[in-house]
Amino acid sequence: MNAVGKKDAARAAELRELIRHHNYRYYVLDDPEIPDVEYDRMFRELEALEEAHPDLRTEDSPTQRVGGAPVEGFKEVRHLRPMLSLDNAFTADELVAFDRRVRDRLKAEEAIEYAAETKLDGMAISLLYEGGQLVRGATRGDGQTGEEVTHNVRTVESIPLKLRGRGHPARLEIRGEIYMPKAGFAQLNSRLAERGAKTFVNPRNAAAGTLRQLDPKVAASRPLEFFAYGVGFFEDGVLPTRHSEILAMLRDWGVRVSPLTQVVTGAEGCQAYYDEMLGQRDDLPYEIDGVVFKVDNVELQQDLGFVSRAPRWAVAFKFPAQEVTTVLNGIDFQVGRTGALTPVARLEPVFVGGVTVSNATLHNMDEIERKDVRVGDTVIVRRAGDVIPEVVKVVQERRHGNPEPVRLPKKCPACGSDVVRPEGQVVARCSGGLVCPAQRKEKLRHFASRRAMDIEGLGAKIVEQLVEQGIDGREIHDPADIYALTADQLAQLERMGEKSANNLVAAIERSKNTTLPRFLYALGIPEVGEVTAAVLARHFGDLDALMAAEVNQLEAVPDVGPVVAQHVYEFFHQDENLKVIAALREHGVSWPTEVPTGGAKPLSNMTFVLTGTLESMTRDEAKKRIEAAGGKVTGSVSKNTNYVVAGADPGSKLKKAEELGVAVLDESGLLSQL
Ligand code: IVH
């Protein structure tokens, strides 16, 4: 090799090491040292060098993740040690019984230390490293033999092609889970749906389907990630004698291990870990279906041994299922505040995601058609966190006979007006406007709701009576009518005593002092949620300026697109709406004028991490509001985080913030930042 060649070879080797180091910072430590652009620059430099001198290309070069042509089929792989499964516990008693069995067998006097891990809902994978190089990836299969999927495993960027450092055994088989994060799954599905391709039911199926692709380019284009949870086999080397230390060692070697792993003591420690993870479940960027406890001391693991296909030293404590099957008894169409008809599935009641569910959304007619849902079908229902339960899929094999396809009603089920569904639009609407009692009820309920005008005591039941019966023979037509109600009139309603009537009138009176964002949100302009209402209020400062805005001025507001701009413009150009607004102002509804910003955002360039339960909003709402104010919300705390917002029962993120000296805000602190 000449001098230039030597220089290039040295630079290529240096770049590979640098990229490997920054991958480790990014994927394993979740604490990048350099911005993405800098990383990309190194990557491109290496690619260019290898392009110019193909002999510099090594198997383990970070540029070589996507290998050559698609494989023709999957080779069978016999596992070096069987890949076992886990016994499950579903209740606290079963967990206690597991711990007792362990102690009895070991004749242990003192409490046992367990490595506590999350149970990732993906695909088990075996990674074989020889001399520190990744040589094979295989699925679990039946536990004895799996399928070789090295070509796809290599595309997963959080799996190192070469281990860091030294001292690894000559052969080392690492086991863990490949999964697809929730956000990546949603993006993949919408991409597939756009193309008219079949979508995946859940992230787990998407991960499994991706690993079984013959062409590594497909896997490379999908967001798979990896966490290691153990070592299956090793040769020529020594490993620590505690499971938790083995995981720490893997992390040092550049292998990604869940940061939620802990060591806990006794059944009590296990229960506390379970409770903590159950609380965090819906906020994690990936799905977990439980937690796993493993006797931490490897010698004790060996003493305990195995029964049939599962170790005696480990147990999976499962969370309540978020997906179950049940029977669809019927479909009703509900009319919302803008007249949109939403098909609602009436289900045989089932326990899912920790509660009993008998209704689930079917979203719209397109969804019903796409999923081919028919009455009488057995369906998979999903309920995750505070998200509305939904029908994800029909179990076609369990369909009896040939039930009729579902049809969109021609008339509104609430008022009998025509249902219209303009060409190319997904949503069908009742054309009845304020004539439709369902729309009126929903509009009023929304107007009075806590996050809008906040009229305490004016809930769904009262609104229903007001709309259905009217007051003194007069219809309650729109929000302005609420401000004309007297205590005597209200006292005529069912189950409304004199005292509650007086309280309600007082609450109505109080609501007159409001803010512009609340008022705008309360008006129920289509597509204008709280965040958009706040953005509009800040931008224009006052209602009159907003009402006078042309479509192009509205579109100039950050985060307001053409659809929203059109809706806002149309809303303020309908006589009916102008009359209601004027009447509300006449009744004394008012707000302080905002200082118009013309677009500057208060939280620009600030990074937030949320933990614990907030009172006035869900974490999802908080995220949207922070983003609308120009901020960014990330999943983990690093020194680049500006604020950690801690609600009730905060998780480990609060601890991390304290360790790193990151500022912590409580809920009111966040609200004032917003
Ligand atoms: S340990 C002998 N740890 O759960 C121990 N498994 O039901 C074998 N899984 O096939 C597995 N997260 O795919 C273990 N932290 C974790 C896990 C985990 C998810 C999966 C794994 C396994 C299945 C067993």
Side-chain angles (χ1 to χ4, degrees):
M1 206 182 275
N2 59 27
V4 177
K6 259 196 199 148
K7 210 171 129 233
D8 286 342
R11 178 64 181 157
E14 181 186 22
L15 284 166
R16 279 198 295 271
E17 271 319 305
L18 277 170
I19 292 171
R20 221 167 268 139
H21 168 77
H22 290 298
N23 275 345
Y24 167 69
R25 300 287 317 192
Y26 185 87
Y27 291 108
V28 181
L29 301 187
D30 193 11
D31 189 14
E33 283 173 338
I34 53 166
D36 291 357
V37 279
E38 215 166 296
Y39 177 91
D40 293 342
R41 203 178 307 135
M42 287 184 201
F43 201 93
R44 279 198 306 271
E45 188 188 338
L46 179 59
E47 272 178 333
L49 268 176
E50 290 176 342
E51 186 70 30
H53 313 281
D55 53 312
L56 292 182
R57 229 169 241 154
T58 59
E59 258 287 285
D60 64 10
S61 169
T63 60
Q64 301 303 301
R65 287 199 169 266
V66 187
V71 300
E72 306 213 321
F74 296 103
K75 272 199 255 109
E76 274 200 354
V77 168
R78 202 165 169 80
H79 294 301
L80 295 164
R81 295 275 183 278
M83 286 183 82
L84 303 172
S85 61
L86 290 167
D87 272 342
N88 291 324
F90 291 96
T91 63
D93 285 349
E94 287 172 11
L95 174 71
V96 169
F98 160 78
D99 175 59
R100 181 159 323 117
R101 279 196 305 276
V102 167
R103 277 186 295 131
D104 286 352
R105 267 201 168 254
L106 295 173
K107 300 198 173 54
E109 303 278 319
E110 63 295 349
I112 302 289
E113 292 201 328
Y114 293 101
E117 299 166 9
T118 49
K119 186 167 190 300
L120 298 143
D121 202 4
M123 284 285 282
I125 202 89
S126 144
L127 304 175
L128 184 62
Y129 286 86
E130 285 180 359
Q133 306 275 343
L134 175 66
V135 294
R136 191 180 81 186
T139 62
R140 174 172 182 273
D142 63 6
Q144 302 291 335
T145 38
E147 285 177 328
E148 195 195 323
V149 287
T150 316
H151 62 299
N152 288 333
V153 160
R154 285 178 63 94
T155 69
V156 180
E157 284 177 271
S158 45
I159 295 180
L161 298 177
K162 180 176 179 227
L163 297 178
R164 286 177 85 239
R166 55 191 98 243
H168 358 90
R171 290 175 92 198
L172 173 68
E173 191 218 350
I174 297 170
R175 291 179 179 177
E177 199 86 348
I178 284 196
Y179 63 91
M180 194 175 285
K182 294 174 190 170
F185 164 71
Q187 275 164 19
L188 170 63
N189 258 359
S190 59
R191 230 162 58 205
L192 291 172
E194 252 168 50
R195 267 196 263 140
K198 229 176 132 199
T199 55
F200 291 104
V201 178
N202 54 38
R204 180 194 158 82
N205 288 13
T210 304
L211 275 181
R212 294 206 82 263
Q213 294 288 328
L214 295 170
D215 186 352
K217 286 203 191 72
V218 178
S221 74
R222 295 184 184 173
L224 291 181
E225 289 181 9
F226 172 79
F227 274 133
Y229 54 64
V231 165
F233 167 86
F234 70 100
E235 204 174 72
D236 283 350
V238 266
L239 285 185
T241 55
R242 292 201 162 249
H243 179 75
S244 52
E245 289 166 6
I246 295 176
L247 293 185
M249 172 118 263
L250 289 179
R251 189 179 283 149
D252 272 349
W253 288 338
V255 182
R256 193 158 174 261
V257 174
S258 166
L260 300 173
T261 303
Q262 291 177 15
V263 176
V264 300
T265 307
E268 269 175 35
C270 292
Q271 182 68 50
Y273 181 80
Y274 172 92
D275 293 341
E276 190 187 336
M277 292 306 137
L278 185 59
Q280 290 196 28
R281 177 188 203 181
D282 295 314
D283 298 315
L284 293 178
Y286 45 82
E287 294 205 335
I288 58 174
D289 59 349
V291 291
V292 182
F293 302 114
K294 301 171 182 170
V295 171
D296 198 33
N297 185 324
V298 176
E299 217 171 286
L300 297 185
Q301 288 184 359
Q302 279 154 2
D303 291 347
L304 286 160
F306 304 88
V307 251
S308 65
R309 304 185 49 181
R312 284 205 192 87
W313 43 264
V315 72
F317 193 1
K318 301 287 284 274
F319 291 152
Q322 289 183 321
E323 277 180 15
V324 297
T325 58
T326 188
V327 173
L328 176 68
N329 290 332
I331 294 176
D332 288 336
F333 284 83
Q334 259 174 12
V335 185
R337 118 179 110 78
T338 58
L341 261 63
T342 305
V344 178
R346 305 295 180 202
L347 305 166
E348 199 53 39
V350 277
F351 191 70
V352 55
V355 297
T356 301
V357 161
S358 42
N359 303 313
T361 181
L362 282 160
H363 302 289
N364 52 52
M365 283 307 292
D366 278 6
E367 285 282 303
I368 293 187
E369 278 157 30
R370 199 172 58 75
K371 293 174 182 160
D372 187 23
V373 182
R374 305 189 191 190
V375 174
D377 278 345
T378 297
V379 293
I380 297 176
V381 176
R382 176 178 174 81
R383 179 186 179 273
D386 46 13
V387 180
I388 300 169
E390 61 164 353
V391 171
V392 237
K393 188 184 153 132
V394 171
V395 186
Q396 290 286 352
E397 305 76 53
R398 294 222 219 146
R399 177 173 286 171
H400 301 294
N402 188 18
E404 279 287 297
V406 179
R407 277 186 225 296
L408 180 70
K410 291 201 165 54
K411 303 280 179 197
C412 168
C415 71
S417 303
D418 287 345
V419 168
V420 289
R421 186 184 176 189
E423 245 333 281
Q425 283 198 14
V426 181
V427 181
R429 288 180 203 276
C430 155
S431 59
L434 283 176
V435 170
C436 176
Q439 288 190 48
R440 257 192 288 150
K441 271 183 223 167
E442 289 305 311
K443 280 199 168 77
L444 289 176
R445 218 168 49 84
H446 171 77
F447 182 84
S449 64
R450 200 158 59 87
R451 315 192 59 80
M453 299 299 280
D454 192 18
I455 308 181
E456 208 186 319
L458 192 57
K461 288 259 149 53
I462 310 259
V463 167
E464 195 165 315
Q465 287 188 58
L466 286 172
V467 169
E468 275 170 16
Q469 305 161 16
I471 283 278
D472 292 341
R474 245 180 348 101
E475 261 193 355
I476 298 295
H477 201 255
D478 59 58
D481 294 335
I482 293 175
Y483 291 94
L485 292 170
T486 65
D488 285 348
Q489 288 174 328
L490 286 170
Q492 298 164 19
L493 298 175
E494 252 170 64
R495 267 176 285 156
M496 173 74 82
E498 200 180 311
K499 187 153 172 251
S500 353
N502 281 325
N503 286 345
L504 184 49
V505 169
I508 293 173
E509 191 58 33
R510 268 200 309 277
S511 77
K512 288 180 183 171
N513 267 327
T514 187
T515 65
L516 184 54
R518 272 177 180 275
F519 182 75
L520 288 176
Y521 174 60
L523 289 176
I525 307 167
E527 303 287 335
V528 176
E530 263 177 293
V531 172
T532 310
V535 168
L536 289 170
R538 282 179 62 82
H539 188 90
F540 288 96
D542 192 27
L543 181 64
D544 297 304
L546 170 62
M547 286 171 70
E550 295 298 332
V551 175
N552 60 352
Q553 290 172 299
L554 290 162
E555 274 188 48
V557 179
D559 298 329
V560 172
V563 177
V564 175
Q566 195 61 39
H567 278 303
V568 174
Y569 180 83
E570 275 171 19
F571 186 90
F572 290 123
H573 285 79
Q574 278 181 27
D575 283 348
E576 181 71 32
N577 295 333
L578 299 182
K579 270 189 220 148
V580 173
I581 292 168
L584 286 168
R585 282 172 139 174
E586 220 152 276
H587 279 294
V589 174
S590 64
W591 49 85
T593 309
E594 307 245 330
V595 182
T597 60
K601 292 188 170 193
L603 304 185
S604 290
N605 299 323
M606 293 225 238
T607 305
F608 288 73
V609 173
L610 306 173
T611 177
T613 315
L614 300 175
E615 242 177 49
S616 66
M617 55 189 131
T618 64
R619 270 199 246 173
D620 212 35
E621 279 161 2
K623 180 164 186 270
K624 286 195 187 125
R625 290 177 65 175
I626 291 170
E627 285 168 354
K632 208 171 89 190
V633 176
T634 62
S636 59
V637 186
S638 75
K639 41 184 198 310
N640 300 329
T641 311
N642 294 90
Y643 290 108
V644 168
V645 180
D649 299 325
S652 54
K653 291 173 191 164
L654 179 59
K655 223 165 66 199
K656 181 102 190 259
E658 281 156 4
E659 279 166 24
L660 294 177
V662 172
V664 178
L665 289 176
D666 61 6
E667 188 163 351
S668 62
L670 170 65
L671 288 171
S672 63
Q673 291 279 338
L674 285 169

mmCIF file of all heavy atoms in Angstrom, residues 67-92:
data_model
loop_
_atom_site.group_PDB
_atom_site.id
_atom_site.type_symbol
_atom_site.label_atom_id
_atom_site.label_comp_id
_atom_site.label_asym_id
_atom_site.label_seq_id
_atom_site.Cartn_x
_atom_site.Cartn_y
_atom_site.Cartn_z
ATOM 1 N N GLY A 67 -26.923 -5.503 3.488
ATOM 2 C CA GLY A 67 -26.045 -6.297 2.632
ATOM 3 C C GLY A 67 -26.549 -6.313 1.201
ATOM 4 O O GLY A 67 -27.293 -5.424 0.784
ATOM 5 N N GLY A 68 -26.167 -7.328 0.469
ATOM 6 C CA GLY A 68 -26.464 -7.374 -0.958
ATOM 7 C C GLY A 68 -27.894 -7.755 -1.290
ATOM 8 O O GLY A 68 -28.852 -7.167 -0.768
ATOM 9 N N ALA A 69 -28.022 -8.744 -2.160
ATOM 10 C CA ALA A 69 -29.322 -9.133 -2.711
ATOM 11 C C ALA A 69 -30.185 -9.794 -1.631
ATOM 12 O O ALA A 69 -29.679 -10.248 -0.609
ATOM 13 C CB ALA A 69 -29.083 -10.101 -3.861
ATOM 14 N N PRO A 70 -31.496 -9.828 -1.870
ATOM 15 C CA PRO A 70 -32.386 -10.514 -0.928
ATOM 16 C C PRO A 70 -31.983 -11.984 -0.759
ATOM 17 O O PRO A 70 -31.452 -12.588 -1.691
ATOM 18 C CB PRO A 70 -33.754 -10.422 -1.597
ATOM 19 C CG PRO A 70 -33.657 -9.304 -2.555
ATOM 20 C CD PRO A 70 -32.233 -9.226 -2.985
ATOM 21 N N VAL A 71 -32.238 -12.555 0.427
ATOM 22 C CA VAL A 71 -31.975 -13.982 0.603
ATOM 23 C C VAL A 71 -33.100 -14.763 -0.075
ATOM 24 O O VAL A 71 -34.181 -14.231 -0.317
ATOM 25 C CB VAL A 71 -31.868 -14.369 2.096
ATOM 26 C CG1 VAL A 71 -30.736 -13.613 2.754
ATOM 27 C CG2 VAL A 71 -33.176 -14.123 2.838
ATOM 28 N N GLU A 72 -32.832 -16.036 -0.392
ATOM 29 C CA GLU A 72 -33.834 -16.800 -1.140
ATOM 30 C C GLU A 72 -34.850 -17.452 -0.224
ATOM 31 O O GLU A 72 -35.969 -17.743 -0.607
ATOM 32 C CB GLU A 72 -33.135 -17.855 -1.978
ATOM 33 C CG GLU A 72 -32.076 -17.199 -2.833
ATOM 34 C CD GLU A 72 -31.904 -17.881 -4.150
ATOM 35 O OE1 GLU A 72 -31.974 -19.120 -4.165
ATOM 36 O OE2 GLU A 72 -31.702 -17.151 -5.143
ATOM 37 N N GLY A 73 -34.405 -17.720 0.979
ATOM 38 C CA GLY A 73 -35.315 -18.344 1.946
ATOM 39 C C GLY A 73 -34.632 -18.285 3.298
ATOM 40 O O GLY A 73 -33.547 -17.729 3.406
ATOM 41 N N PHE A 74 -35.277 -18.831 4.311
ATOM 42 C CA PHE A 74 -34.675 -18.774 5.646
ATOM 43 C C PHE A 74 -34.018 -20.103 5.991
ATOM 44 O O PHE A 74 -34.652 -21.152 5.865
ATOM 45 C CB PHE A 74 -35.739 -18.438 6.682
ATOM 46 C CG PHE A 74 -36.335 -17.079 6.473
ATOM 47 C CD1 PHE A 74 -37.592 -16.940 5.903
ATOM 48 C CD2 PHE A 74 -35.626 -15.948 6.818
ATOM 49 C CE1 PHE A 74 -38.127 -15.685 5.693
ATOM 50 C CE2 PHE A 74 -36.159 -14.693 6.605
ATOM 51 C CZ PHE A 74 -37.418 -14.558 6.046
ATOM 52 N N LYS A 75 -32.757 -20.026 6.430
ATOM 53 C CA LYS A 75 -32.066 -21.252 6.849
ATOM 54 C C LYS A 75 -32.473 -21.573 8.276
ATOM 55 O O LYS A 75 -32.652 -20.672 9.099
ATOM 56 C CB LYS A 75 -30.548 -21.019 6.808
ATOM 57 C CG LYS A 75 -29.964 -21.313 5.454
ATOM 58 C CD LYS A 75 -28.462 -21.528 5.572
ATOM 59 C CE LYS A 75 -27.664 -20.439 5.113
ATOM 60 N NZ LYS A 75 -26.917 -19.472 5.136
ATOM 61 N N GLU A 76 -32.559 -22.851 8.579
ATOM 62 C CA GLU A 76 -32.839 -23.242 9.963
ATOM 63 C C GLU A 76 -31.574 -23.126 10.798
ATOM 64 O O GLU A 76 -30.486 -23.416 10.314
ATOM 65 C CB GLU A 76 -33.322 -24.685 10.006
ATOM 66 C CG GLU A 76 -34.801 -24.788 9.792
ATOM 67 C CD GLU A 76 -35.352 -26.108 10.310
ATOM 68 O OE1 GLU A 76 -34.560 -26.979 10.722
ATOM 69 O OE2 GLU A 76 -36.576 -26.250 10.278
ATOM 70 N N VAL A 77 -31.746 -22.708 12.041
ATOM 71 C CA VAL A 77 -30.601 -22.572 12.942
ATOM 72 C C VAL A 77 -30.903 -23.362 14.199
ATOM 73 O O VAL A 77 -31.967 -23.191 14.796
ATOM 74 C CB VAL A 77 -30.426 -21.091 13.346
ATOM 75 C CG1 VAL A 77 -29.445 -20.959 14.490
ATOM 76 C CG2 VAL A 77 -29.980 -20.273 12.155
ATOM 77 N N ARG A 78 -29.973 -24.227 14.577
ATOM 78 C CA ARG A 78 -30.176 -24.922 15.848
ATOM 79 C C ARG A 78 -29.554 -24.074 16.954
ATOM 80 O O ARG A 78 -28.373 -23.720 16.895
ATOM 81 C CB ARG A 78 -29.523 -26.303 15.774
ATOM 82 C CG ARG A 78 -30.124 -27.227 16.776
ATOM 83 C CD ARG A 78 -29.874 -28.677 16.646
ATOM 84 N NE ARG A 78 -30.341 -29.303 17.886
ATOM 85 C CZ ARG A 78 -31.611 -29.583 18.138
ATOM 86 N NH1 ARG A 78 -32.537 -29.363 17.231
ATOM 87 N NH2 ARG A 78 -31.965 -30.108 19.299
ATOM 88 N N HIS A 79 -30.351 -23.721 17.955
ATOM 89 C CA HIS A 79 -29.809 -22.859 19.009
ATOM 90 C C HIS A 79 -28.759 -23.603 19.823
ATOM 91 O O HIS A 79 -28.892 -24.809 20.070
ATOM 92 C CB HIS A 79 -30.938 -22.375 19.927
ATOM 93 C CG HIS A 79 -31.908 -21.467 19.225
ATOM 94 N ND1 HIS A 79 -31.519 -20.287 18.644
ATOM 95 C CD2 HIS A 79 -33.236 -21.581 18.981
ATOM 96 C CE1 HIS A 79 -32.576 -19.711 18.078
ATOM 97 N NE2 HIS A 79 -33.626 -20.486 18.269
ATOM 98 N N LEU A 80 -27.726 -22.867 20.255
ATOM 99 C CA LEU A 80 -26.644 -23.472 21.029
ATOM 100 C C LEU A 80 -27.158 -23.957 22.384
ATOM 101 O O LEU A 80 -26.675 -24.935 22.939
ATOM 102 C CB LEU A 80 -25.519 -22.448 21.214
ATOM 103 C CG LEU A 80 -24.859 -22.050 19.885
ATOM 104 C CD1 LEU A 80 -24.056 -20.779 20.040
ATOM 105 C CD2 LEU A 80 -23.986 -23.185 19.383
ATOM 106 N N ARG A 81 -28.112 -23.227 22.924
ATOM 107 C CA ARG A 81 -28.861 -23.644 24.123
ATOM 108 C C ARG A 81 -30.311 -23.330 23.792
ATOM 109 O O ARG A 81 -30.569 -22.336 23.111
ATOM 110 C CB ARG A 81 -28.468 -22.808 25.354
ATOM 111 C CG ARG A 81 -27.051 -22.971 25.818
ATOM 112 C CD ARG A 81 -26.885 -24.184 26.745
ATOM 113 N NE ARG A 81 -25.518 -24.268 27.234
ATOM 114 C CZ ARG A 81 -24.502 -24.809 26.544
ATOM 115 N NH1 ARG A 81 -24.715 -25.311 25.328
ATOM 116 N NH2 ARG A 81 -23.286 -24.836 27.055
ATOM 117 N N PRO A 82 -31.252 -24.164 24.279
ATOM 118 C CA PRO A 82 -32.652 -23.879 23.943
ATOM 119 C C PRO A 82 -33.061 -22.470 24.388
ATOM 120 O O PRO A 82 -32.573 -21.985 25.414
ATOM 121 C CB PRO A 82 -33.445 -24.922 24.729
ATOM 122 C CG PRO A 82 -32.470 -25.842 25.353
ATOM 123 C CD PRO A 82 -31.091 -25.348 25.121
ATOM 124 N N MET A 83 -33.917 -21.831 23.596
ATOM 125 C CA MET A 83 -34.460 -20.524 24.005
ATOM 126 C C MET A 83 -35.768 -20.800 24.728
ATOM 127 O O MET A 83 -36.759 -21.184 24.105
ATOM 128 C CB MET A 83 -34.687 -19.626 22.794
ATOM 129 C CG MET A 83 -33.381 -19.086 22.224
ATOM 130 S SD MET A 83 -33.644 -17.949 20.854
ATOM 131 C CE MET A 83 -33.994 -16.407 21.703
ATOM 132 N N LEU A 84 -35.748 -20.607 26.025
ATOM 133 C CA LEU A 84 -36.901 -20.989 26.842
ATOM 134 C C LEU A 84 -37.942 -19.886 26.856
ATOM 135 O O LEU A 84 -37.692 -18.765 26.438
ATOM 136 C CB LEU A 84 -36.437 -21.265 28.263
ATOM 137 C CG LEU A 84 -35.363 -22.341 28.374
ATOM 138 C CD1 LEU A 84 -34.818 -22.407 29.781
ATOM 139 C CD2 LEU A 84 -35.928 -23.698 27.947
ATOM 140 N N SER A 85 -39.116 -20.253 27.375
ATOM 141 C CA SER A 85 -40.090 -19.191 27.607
ATOM 142 C C SER A 85 -40.214 -18.978 29.107
ATOM 143 O O SER A 85 -39.426 -19.530 29.880
ATOM 144 C CB SER A 85 -41.423 -19.539 26.964
ATOM 145 O OG SER A 85 -41.917 -20.708 27.533
ATOM 146 N N LEU A 86 -41.163 -18.174 29.516
ATOM 147 C CA LEU A 86 -41.273 -17.813 30.927
ATOM 148 C C LEU A 86 -42.619 -18.259 31.476
ATOM 149 O O LEU A 86 -43.623 -18.244 30.765
ATOM 150 C CB LEU A 86 -41.194 -16.290 31.080
ATOM 151 C CG LEU A 86 -39.853 -15.627 30.812
ATOM 152 C CD1 LEU A 86 -40.035 -14.126 30.696
ATOM 153 C CD2 LEU A 86 -38.882 -15.961 31.930
ATOM 154 N N ASP A 87 -42.644 -18.638 32.746
ATOM 155 C CA ASP A 87 -43.919 -18.845 33.427
ATOM 156 C C ASP A 87 -44.537 -17.481 33.684
ATOM 157 O O ASP A 87 -43.814 -16.510 33.898
ATOM 158 C CB ASP A 87 -43.686 -19.549 34.763
ATOM 159 C CG ASP A 87 -43.687 -21.050 34.589
ATOM 160 O OD1 ASP A 87 -44.205 -21.521 33.549
ATOM 161 O OD2 ASP A 87 -43.154 -21.748 35.483
ATOM 162 N N ASN A 88 -45.859 -17.461 33.702
ATOM 163 C CA ASN A 88 -46.534 -16.185 33.935
ATOM 164 C C ASN A 88 -47.153 -16.115 35.318
ATOM 165 O O ASN A 88 -47.596 -17.127 35.855
ATOM 166 C CB ASN A 88 -47.677 -16.005 32.925
ATOM 167 C CG ASN A 88 -47.139 -15.796 31.530
ATOM 168 O OD1 ASN A 88 -46.111 -15.153 31.349
ATOM 169 N ND2 ASN A 88 -47.828 -16.351 30.546
ATOM 170 N N ALA A 89 -47.193 -14.909 35.882
ATOM 171 C CA ALA A 89 -48.010 -14.632 37.061
ATOM 172 C C ALA A 89 -48.965 -13.524 36.645
ATOM 173 O O ALA A 89 -48.578 -12.626 35.898
ATOM 174 C CB ALA A 89 -47.141 -14.167 38.215
ATOM 175 N N PHE A 90 -50.215 -13.636 37.078
ATOM 176 C CA PHE A 90 -51.196 -12.608 36.697
ATOM 177 C C PHE A 90 -51.678 -11.802 37.900
ATOM 178 O O PHE A 90 -52.297 -10.766 37.734
ATOM 179 C CB PHE A 90 -52.392 -13.244 35.997
ATOM 180 C CG PHE A 90 -52.042 -13.796 34.639
ATOM 181 C CD1 PHE A 90 -51.731 -15.144 34.481
ATOM 182 C CD2 PHE A 90 -51.977 -12.965 33.532
ATOM 183 C CE1 PHE A 90 -51.382 -15.651 33.239
ATOM 184 C CE2 PHE A 90 -51.627 -13.468 32.286
ATOM 185 C CZ PHE A 90 -51.327 -14.811 32.138
ATOM 186 N N THR A 91 -51.446 -12.343 39.117
ATOM 187 C CA THR A 91 -51.947 -11.641 40.303
ATOM 188 C C THR A 91 -50.819 -11.509 41.326
ATOM 189 O O THR A 91 -49.811 -12.221 41.247
ATOM 190 C CB THR A 91 -53.083 -12.435 40.979
ATOM 191 O OG1 THR A 91 -52.530 -13.683 41.431
ATOM 192 C CG2 THR A 91 -54.230 -12.705 40.015
ATOM 193 N N ALA A 92 -51.040 -10.612 42.296
ATOM 194 C CA ALA A 92 -50.054 -10.412 43.357
ATOM 195 C C ALA A 92 -49.832 -11.729 44.104
ATOM 196 O O ALA A 92 -48.703 -12.056 44.472
ATOM 197 C CB ALA A 92 -50.544 -9.322 44.302
#
